[in-house]
Amino acid sequence: MMLTVTIILIIGSLQTACANPCSDFSCDCQGTEVICKSRDLEDVPDGIPNTTTLLNLGFHQISSLTANVFNGLVSLKTMDLSSNQISIISADTFKDLVSLVTLDLSYNQISIILADTFKDLVSLVTLNFRGNQISTIAKDAFNDLVSLKNLDLSRNGIKTIAADAFINLTSLEQLKLEFNKISSLTANVFNGLVSINTILLGGNQISTIAKDAFKDLVSLKNLFLENNKISTIATDTFKDLVSLTYITLYGNAFTAISADIFRKLTNITRLNLSYIVTCCNMTDFFKWKASQTELNELVGKCIDFDSVTDITEFDISNCTIPVDGHWGSWSTTSCSVTCGSGTKYRNRICNNPSPSDGGKHCVGKDTELSQCRLRHCPASCKHSKAQTRNQIKG
């Protein structure tokens, strides 16, 4: 008799735990998972059981998240709030969610990430902000996410990222920033990301990359920079990327690309340069490629005499290589007088080498005139000069 009573009490407790959200709000309860998908809710429902480990509130009309709305959900590991109309996240919204591992806030209307928004999410591994309206990433936006490994900020309106914005994300492994409006990568923009292995920056408006933009990224293996507006890359831009194995640069504004930017990437195995350059402007790159033993995948096409050629099949011996002219040494004339003040000039020739095959001529002057001052002239010389001037006047 005692055993029967105990079983009835346990069953009754389980039924009570899921009663509120599953019956009152037409949610589905499957063990500790509460799924309230596509029910047109305007607010987070009350009475969610404290034992809930998964909460799906996606595809509703929720517009704001108030303080303490998820209080008590200490066992929650996964929460989906995607495709709502959330624009405001109050302080202490995520209080008590110490076990939360995955948070999906994609496709809402969030424009600002306030400091301390995520201060209680010490276990969070994946955070999805895809498809919101964020324009600026402030320095303190992600301060407390010490366990975060995956951050998706793609398809927002991000224009600027503050220096050190990600500095405390020492566990982050993947950062998605593609399809935003980023125009430049400033120095120290990725500081602190010592564990990052993949950064996606494709589909932005990046035209400039600062010298130390990729500082600290010693673990980075995959860098996606395709479909931007990059026309030049400085020689030492990738100098800190000692672990990089794959980089995409296709769809940018290059007219030529130098092998110098790749010389320190000793671990590179995959390189995508599709449609970015004229083949004959890449002669030094092809020479560099021939010396790379680790580079086992090169994807790309270049423009070859008005046709598109696979970059791995192009024969540089067919090229007429333009040679730009450079100035030779200056030659200097002697002073125009033997004493007193005079003038002298120097000249140079554009022959070191001379321009050929359509190369550019030297820029600058080929002749320069300057004053010269020698010893004082003797008195007799001055008298003679004075007489000469008087005779001319007479």
Side-chain angles (χ1 to χ4, degrees):
M1 184 68 177
M2 180 66 68
L3 178 61
T4 303
V5 171
T6 302
I7 292 172
I8 291 172
L9 286 173
I10 293 172
I11 294 173
S13 298
L14 290 174
Q15 289 175 339
T16 301
C18 276
N20 276 342
C22 299
S23 59
D24 296 353
F25 301 102
S26 301
C27 296
D28 297 320
C29 269
Q30 301 172 4
T32 59
E33 298 182 357
V34 177
I35 302 172
C36 307
K37 194 173 182 179
S38 301
R39 306 291 185 183
D40 292 327
L41 297 175
E42 295 183 0
D43 298 294
V44 175
D46 296 325
I48 299 171
N50 290 347
T51 55
T52 301
T53 58
L54 182 150
L55 177 60
N56 190 330
L57 289 168
F59 295 88
H60 291 288
Q61 307 298 318
I62 300 171
S63 60
S64 63
L65 299 176
T66 57
N68 306 313
V69 68
F70 300 113
N71 271 15
L73 300 184
V74 294
S75 299
L76 191 65
K77 293 185 176 181
T78 302
M79 181 157 62
D80 186 349
L81 289 161
S82 63
S83 299
N84 277 278
Q85 299 177 14
I86 299 169
S87 60
I88 298 173
I89 302 177
S90 303
D92 293 328
T93 288
F94 302 116
K95 186 179 179 181
D96 285 354
L97 303 188
V98 292
S99 300
L100 194 67
V101 174
T102 301
L103 175 59
D104 190 348
L105 285 161
S106 60
Y107 296 103
N108 278 284
Q109 298 174 20
I110 300 165
S111 59
I112 298 174
I113 302 174
L114 299 175
D116 298 330
T117 296
F118 307 112
K119 68 180 187 301
D120 298 298
L121 303 183
V122 293
S123 300
L124 197 68
V125 172
T126 299
L127 177 59
N128 190 349
F129 267 106
R130 184 182 182 89
N132 277 276
Q133 300 174 12
I134 301 165
S135 61
T136 301
I137 304 298
K139 180 179 178 180
D140 50 5
F142 304 109
N143 272 356
D144 304 289
L145 299 177
V146 293
S147 300
L148 196 68
K149 292 185 177 182
N150 305 293
L151 177 59
D152 190 345
L153 291 164
S154 59
R155 296 189 181 278
N156 277 271
I158 298 172
K159 294 181 179 179
T160 57
I161 302 173
D164 298 331
F166 307 113
I167 197 165
N168 292 319
L169 301 185
T170 54
S171 298
L172 197 69
E173 296 178 358
Q174 184 180 78
L175 176 60
K176 294 183 177 181
L177 285 164
E178 71 266 42
F179 303 109
N180 280 292
K181 297 180 180 180
I182 302 168
S183 60
S184 63
L185 298 178
T186 56
N188 306 317
V189 67
F190 297 119
N191 269 13
L193 299 183
V194 293
S195 299
I196 197 83
N197 63 56
T198 301
I199 296 180
L200 294 90
L201 286 159
N204 277 279
Q205 300 172 15
I206 299 168
S207 59
T208 58
I209 302 175
K211 179 181 178 181
D212 292 326
F214 299 120
K215 185 180 177 181
D216 283 358
L217 305 187
V218 293
S219 300
L220 190 69
K221 293 183 177 180
N222 307 298
L223 177 60
F224 296 83
L225 284 165
E226 74 280 0
N227 296 322
N228 278 283
K229 297 181 178 180
I230 305 167
S231 59
T232 58
I233 296 179
T235 299
D236 290 334
T237 299
F238 302 133
K239 69 181 186 302
D240 298 304
L241 304 183
V242 294
S243 300
L244 196 70
T245 60
Y246 183 42
I247 183 171
T248 64
L249 288 167
Y250 64 84
N252 277 282
F254 296 104
T255 55
I257 193 163
S258 172
D260 290 340
I261 65 173
F262 302 116
R263 293 197 193 282
K264 294 186 179 180
L265 301 181
T266 54
N267 295 308
I268 198 78
T269 61
R270 301 169 66 201
L271 183 60
N272 192 323
L273 301 171
S274 297
Y275 293 103
I276 64 171
V277 290
T278 301
C279 302
C280 288
N281 287 346
M282 296 180 63
T283 53
D284 67 330
F285 171 80
F286 286 116
K287 292 175 182 177
W288 168 81
K289 169 186 167 292
S291 67
Q292 300 306 299
T293 57
E294 298 294 327
L295 185 61
N296 54 38
E297 181 180 331
L298 175 61
V299 179
K301 297 181 185 295
C302 55
I303 307 300
D304 170 21
F305 307 108
D306 297 325
S307 63
V308 176
T309 299
D310 191 296
I311 208 167
T312 60
E313 298 175 358
F314 181 71
D315 184 359
I316 62 173
S317 65
N318 295 327
C319 294
T320 300
I321 309 300
V323 176
D324 293 339
H326 291 275
W327 292 110
S329 300
W330 288 100
S331 63
T332 305
T333 63
S334 58
C335 194
S336 61
V337 297
T338 57
C339 64
S341 298
T343 58
K344 66 178 180 179
Y345 71 91
R346 63 177 187 168
N347 58 17
R348 58 183 178 173
I349 302 173
C350 187
N351 63 354
N352 186 34
S354 300
S356 61
D357 297 317
K360 297 177 181 178
H361 197 275
C362 298
V363 177
K365 296 179 180 180
D366 61 357
T367 302
E368 287 185 353
L369 187 67
S370 61
Q371 289 187 332
C372 51
R373 181 179 295 276
L374 302 180
R375 60 186 175 83
H376 291 293
C377 292
S380 59
C381 182
K382 293 180 181 178
H383 179 70
S384 176
K385 287 182 179 180
Q387 283 184 332
T388 302
R389 286 196 296 271
N390 291 332
Q391 290 172 357
I392 293 173
K393 290 179 180 179

